[in-house]
Amino acid sequence: RDLHSFPTRRSSDLAIAEAITKAGVKVSRAQIDLAEPIKQLGVYTVTVKVFSDVEAQVKVWVVAEK
């Protein structure tokens, strides 16, 4: 997806949750803890709230589509 399509934190959360779910782990947008929307290419560390007292750190690679 084009980065310009995700100008808000909510849409960034949704895109990350969809990508993780597509990889085989069911995650909802509400579980993604993102301080601000991702608007640039790069590698980001994102916190996923697995349970109320358990969090996981995942690496998110944002790359240009070919």
Side-chain angles (χ1 to χ4, degrees):
R1 293 185 176 174
D2 182 4
L3 288 174
H4 300 291
S5 300
F6 304 111
T8 66
R9 195 185 93 194
R10 180 181 170 126
S11 56
S12 295
D13 291 353
L14 181 59
I16 293 167
E18 288 175 348
I20 293 171
T21 299
K22 193 178 222 182
V25 179
K26 188 173 180 180
V27 174
S28 72
R29 182 195 63 79
Q31 291 175 276
I32 305 298
D33 186 13
L34 193 61
E36 58 187 54
I38 295 174
K39 295 185 177 184
Q40 296 183 10
L41 301 177
V43 179
Y44 298 87
T45 300
V46 176
T47 301
V48 179
K49 297 176 184 175
V50 181
F51 299 107
S52 60
D53 59 341
V54 178
E55 295 180 343
Q57 301 290 315
V58 297
K59 293 274 186 192
V60 175
W61 282 264
V62 179
V63 297
E65 286 189 280
K66 293 181 180 183

